[in-house]
Amino acid sequence: MVKERGILRSMYNASLNFHDVGKVDKRIWSTLWPARVSFFMWTVSKRKLLTQDMLQRRGQIIVSRCNLCYAAPESIDNLLCTCPFVWKIWNSFLEDAGVSTVLQGSVIEVLDGWHKKFVSRQAKLVWKMIPVAIMWTMWKERNRRIFEEKGQCWSRVLNSVKVLIYS
């Protein structure tokens, strides 16, 4: 009897975790952006994005350093949410929407907490696209800096995000 309760409890806890992940997955797999962007966001949500800290865990001998701010070690959360370079981009959209908030440290927390009520359907769609556009653009900028040794200032990156959202 005790063993059955333990099994039932673990199944229940697993179903709770599956439900939470399913909420994020619904927002990731969307027709608002290309499938490769959905796949990227899925990889982010599963915490499998090959950032420098992940490569170190897999045995690569590299120095983990964010290529956007050059200060913190590169991790999923730093690269997509908490890096000062990225924070300027997030903050620009939050200020434009009249939202004053502090983003949590985790990408999942940001995606899960990204809610705002809008009257117009178009504004709601734009708001839904913002986190995905920011994260995708940050990943592309990071790769541009690493593989092409070219970087853009944050205002140009912000413009790239806006082009993705509004085009």
Side-chain angles (χ1 to χ4, degrees):
M1 185 73 153
V2 174
K3 193 174 188 179
E4 286 178 18
R5 283 186 187 162
I7 291 170
L8 287 174
R9 180 169 295 167
S10 66
M11 288 174 63
Y12 175 74
N13 289 337
S15 74
L16 288 178
N17 290 338
F18 180 76
H19 176 70
D20 291 344
V21 170
K23 252 189 340 187
V24 172
D25 279 351
K26 276 185 184 176
R27 283 182 247 137
I28 289 170
W29 297 102
S30 173
T31 57
L32 293 173
W33 41 82
R36 66 182 177 176
V37 177
S38 290
F39 181 77
F40 164 77
M41 291 303 296
W42 179 79
T43 307
V44 168
S45 74
K46 301 299 181 197
R47 305 197 63 77
K48 299 292 184 187
L49 192 63
L50 289 179
T51 53
Q52 292 173 6
D53 67 327
M54 291 294 287
L55 292 171
Q56 282 180 332
R57 284 186 221 153
R58 292 179 176 200
Q60 295 287 324
I61 301 172
I62 56 173
V63 176
S64 179
R65 170 183 71 113
C66 176
N67 284 287
L68 300 174
C69 69
Y70 305 108
E74 185 184 85
S75 67
I76 293 173
D77 296 327
N78 177 69
L79 179 66
L80 302 177
C81 293
T82 61
C83 168
F85 183 93
V86 178
W87 172 244
K88 287 180 183 178
I89 309 277
W90 283 104
N91 198 41
S92 173
F93 284 99
L94 292 170
E95 283 178 355
D96 288 350
V99 176
S100 60
T101 186
V102 176
L103 293 176
Q104 290 84 6
S106 153
V107 170
I108 296 299
E109 291 171 338
V110 169
L111 290 173
D112 202 36
W114 193 260
H115 303 291
K116 185 168 170 45
K117 295 193 184 235
F118 290 97
V119 176
S120 94
R121 186 176 177 334
Q122 186 176 5
K124 189 183 292 187
L125 288 175
V126 167
W127 187 254
K128 182 179 180 180
M129 293 173 66
I130 290 171
V132 175
I134 291 174
M135 291 180 190
W136 176 247
T137 304
M138 290 304 105
W139 181 248
K140 289 184 4 181
E141 179 63 19
R142 174 250 191 211
N143 288 341
R144 184 180 301 110
R145 289 174 183 223
I146 290 174
F147 300 116
E148 298 174 21
E149 297 180 1
K150 297 178 186 173
Q152 298 178 352
C153 65
W154 78 270
S155 60
R156 284 206 165 180
V157 175
L158 175 63
N159 287 337
S160 298
V161 173
K162 288 180 178 180
V163 165
L164 272 179
I165 293 170
Y166 297 113
S167 63

